[in-house]
Amino acid sequence: MPTLIKNGRIITAEQDYSADIYIERETVTTIGKDLNVQADKTIDASGKYVIPGGIDVHTHMDLPFGGTASSDDFETGTIAAAHGGTTCIVDFAVQSKGTSMRHALDTWLRKSEGKAAVDFGLHMILTELPDDWLPEMDALVKHEGVTSFKMFTAYPGVFMVDDATIFKAMKRTADNGGLICMHAENGGVIDLLVKKMLAEGKTTPNVHALSRPATAEQEATHRVIALSEMAGVPVYVVHVSSHLAMEQIREARGRGLPTYGETCPQYLYLAYEDYADGSFEGAKYICSPPIRERENQEFLWKALKGDDLQAVSTDHCPFCMKEGYKGLPKQKELGKGDFSKIPNGLPGVENRLHLLYEGGVVKRGWSMNRFVQLVSTAPAKLMGLFPRKGTVAVGSDADIVIWDPKRPHTISANSHFMRVDYNPYESMTVSGSPALVLSRGKVVFDGDKFVGKSGDGQFLRRGQYNLV
Ligand code: URP
Ligand code: ZN
Ligand code: ZN
């Protein structure tokens, strides 16, 4: 069923031109002016941008965490993603203590089976690494398309690994061609601060941020970069929240190291000042690293423009404020009276492109090319998906968003597709949004109507990172 997209303005990370796009089956097969071809479906994209589908390389669907599990699964989460123009996610399988990476991969493949509405890949979170497991890392990279490993310097007793484990994993990854992703906060220091603050009777949600200072993020960011330098491996620092941490990445890149960083919409739009009053509403904004003081935001926006940070993902990890929403159990309320028990994480997968377009292109005058680079092309290259994904080109998957710069969208929990009872950006109106979203050649969203199918999304065996 060939599809023709006519009269659109095609934007890639490098190009901006008007042409028609011909799609056969799942792939873009021709791009040219005034194509004279037979199509079963013709889409008129006059006055609109035709961009590659967004790629969110940091999501947590159905993640067991904080005594519950994130409220979106691969079905609701990928439908929500598609509504906002994201046609590919890379989620995280978790190797928990005493279980193998293979077991973790099988568990996450089962969780996603028949559910995902758009394509997805998986990273592997490592929580321990005995020497005789090292060959499993190579097997994941070589045979399973799981080409990135995430480790944490935070969450002691849950995810945190020590420097020796990090270094060991980094050395192996340097040899097998994978990418290391790091959650960088000093978990030991934070643990002490949390205990001290609780002992002093400081229990409200805002204390979460006070117990996780930006210096703890700066120190761990510096450390993981130093470890990666010694191991000779590229490192991607996830969810950079503060100016201080970002400066570590900028400095390393200035020395020519293959160091990369992402930030997330919550660090660009939300501020500690907005929940400093200690009310339980603040639980909506509990994530780690925490939402920082407002003064950080402009540094992060500038870092995105100037390539000191290379990508924007969401760290989508939603938990409901109230028990019972769509049958879900108690989530954020688990931490009433003790901030350390509030499950960490925020929703965002649906609104990443909305927010980046508004904040970057509309408010700060970025080119559409930079926008596409940050939300699609760089993530694709980092995660070994380019050029299959992350661009509009002959031979690429027809993951395409018809972006209408004149289609305002008001973000609200009343209308969003994410399975969560609040939206951190409630009532914000953005100027542009997707008019149509295609996933491998099939329309999955027509405006605000989901016309795709759960289970149509495929597991992606990714290649090696190739962002230079
Ligand atoms: O608060 C967060 N970020 N929750 C998700 C897990 C993680 O650290 O990425
Ligand atoms: Zn993290
Ligand atoms: Zn995360």
Side-chain angles (χ1 to χ4, degrees):
M1 181 175 153
T3 299
L4 178 65
I5 303 175
K6 283 198 76 64
N7 309 319
R9 184 169 157 195
I10 300 171
I11 312 278
T12 67
E14 273 120 27
Q15 289 181 298
D16 180 344
Y17 62 106
S18 296
D20 301 341
I21 298 172
Y22 192 56
I23 298 164
E24 291 172 280
R25 293 179 206 275
E26 304 183 342
T27 311
V28 173
T29 54
T30 314
I31 300 179
K33 294 260 183 218
D34 304 319
L35 291 182
N36 187 9
V37 286
Q38 288 294 320
D40 292 326
K41 183 179 176 67
T42 300
I43 296 164
D44 182 13
S46 309
K48 305 190 178 72
Y49 297 118
V50 180
I51 63 174
I55 302 178
D56 189 341
V57 301
H58 189 159
T59 66
H60 301 281
M61 306 302 172
D62 197 4
L63 173 74
F65 192 40
T68 179
S70 55
S71 59
D72 266 320
D73 63 10
F74 277 84
E75 181 171 30
T76 58
T78 54
I79 291 173
H83 179 236
T86 288
T87 55
C88 176
I89 62 167
V90 186
D91 206 271
F92 293 83
V94 184
Q95 174 274 316
S96 42
K97 291 203 171 34
T99 65
S100 68
M101 294 173 223
R102 177 73 247 178
H103 177 77
L105 177 58
D106 290 342
T107 305
W108 257 260
L109 289 175
R110 256 197 317 277
K111 276 178 193 276
S112 56
E113 211 174 306
K115 289 199 158 185
V118 298
D119 292 350
F120 66 99
L122 291 169
H123 313 271
M124 182 61 63
I125 288 176
L126 298 178
T127 63
E128 59 183 347
L129 190 57
D131 285 350
D132 53 350
W133 288 15
L134 288 166
E136 252 203 295
M137 293 181 78
D138 306 341
L140 287 185
V141 172
K142 288 204 182 84
H143 307 304
E144 306 298 343
V146 176
T147 53
S148 42
F149 300 93
K150 181 182 178 187
M151 287 171 291
F152 294 74
T153 61
Y155 307 127
V158 186
F159 292 131
M160 185 166 137
V161 284
D162 62 16
D163 290 353
T165 303
I166 295 171
F167 188 63
K168 198 199 288 188
M170 284 180 164
K171 287 286 277 178
R172 194 69 174 205
T173 307
D175 293 337
N176 66 30
L179 177 70
I180 291 289
C181 305
M182 289 301 314
H183 175 131
E185 289 183 288
N186 187 318
V189 167
I190 289 167
D191 208 35
L192 281 178
L193 290 176
V194 168
K195 286 187 179 125
K196 179 174 179 290
M197 288 180 183
L198 288 175
E200 289 167 358
K202 297 174 182 155
T203 59
T204 52
N206 62 312
V207 183
H208 171 81
L210 305 179
S211 68
R212 308 181 87 94
T215 314
E217 186 187 10
Q218 177 192 31
E219 182 280 325
T221 305
H222 181 87
R223 180 163 30 110
V224 302
I225 293 171
L227 292 171
S228 73
E229 185 174 5
M230 289 187 276
V233 74
V235 66
Y236 179 66
V237 184
V238 299
H239 49 43
V240 175
S241 71
S242 64
H243 174 210
L244 288 176
M246 180 274 288
E247 286 296 348
Q248 298 301 313
I249 294 166
R250 195 219 304 259
E251 189 273 338
R253 291 175 61 76
R255 290 194 290 120
L257 292 177
T259 306
Y260 307 93
E262 67 175 23
T263 190
C264 312
Q266 53 270 36
Y267 303 119
L268 297 165
Y269 275 93
L270 307 177
Y272 173 72
E273 289 86 337
D274 297 335
Y275 75 107
D277 67 359
S279 76
F280 196 71
E281 278 294 284
K284 288 180 177 172
Y285 311 110
I286 297 297
C287 57
S288 296
I291 304 299
R292 304 292 183 192
E293 286 75 12
R294 187 165 277 109
E295 66 185 13
N296 281 275
Q297 293 174 357
E298 214 46 51
F299 287 106
L300 297 177
W301 280 110
K302 281 207 184 94
L304 287 172
K305 180 157 192 238
D307 210 38
D308 295 325
L309 295 174
Q310 289 68 46
V312 177
S313 24
T314 58
D315 193 11
H316 177 76
C317 191
F319 298 99
C320 291
M321 283 295 281
K322 289 257 176 289
E323 185 174 359
Y325 177 76
K326 300 205 171 172
L328 289 161
K330 194 182 269 195
Q331 302 203 304
K332 293 284 189 184
E333 287 173 323
L334 289 168
K336 271 204 162 149
D338 179 349
F339 70 86
S340 71
K341 296 199 167 63
I342 300 172
N344 287 200
L346 254 61
V349 75
E350 189 165 349
N351 303 120
R352 184 178 60 121
L353 270 65
H354 296 138
L355 294 165
L356 254 285
Y357 177 78
E358 188 66 18
V361 178
V362 177
K363 296 261 160 61
R364 289 174 181 78
W366 293 0
S367 69
M368 278 299 287
N369 307 96
R370 186 68 195 155
F371 168 67
V372 166
Q373 167 79 2
L374 287 165
V375 300
S376 181
T377 311
K381 290 184 175 177
L382 279 160
M383 297 305 160
L385 291 165
F386 189 86
R388 178 174 171 190
K389 310 274 189 198
T391 192
V392 178
V394 170
S396 294
D397 281 358
D399 287 4
I400 289 178
V401 175
I402 313 291
W403 186 270
D404 188 346
K406 298 203 174 80
R407 186 175 186 273
H409 175 72
T410 299
I411 298 173
S412 175
N414 294 325
S415 56
H416 71 201
F417 285 79
M418 297 181 289
R419 188 163 61 188
V420 62
D421 59 356
Y422 76 98
N423 191 304
Y425 315 98
E426 184 65 37
S427 301
M428 179 175 164
T429 299
V430 294
S431 322
S433 64
L436 214 62
V437 179
L438 286 81
S439 166
R440 274 186 287 106
K442 274 173 70 178
V443 176
V444 290
F445 260 96
D446 187 346
D448 297 321
K449 190 163 185 285
F450 178 57
V451 293
K453 206 164 117 238
S454 308
D456 273 0
Q458 292 177 356
F459 172 63
L460 299 165
R461 287 172 195 276
R462 295 179 291 121
Q464 295 181 340
Y465 102 105
N466 58 5
L467 182 71
V468 281

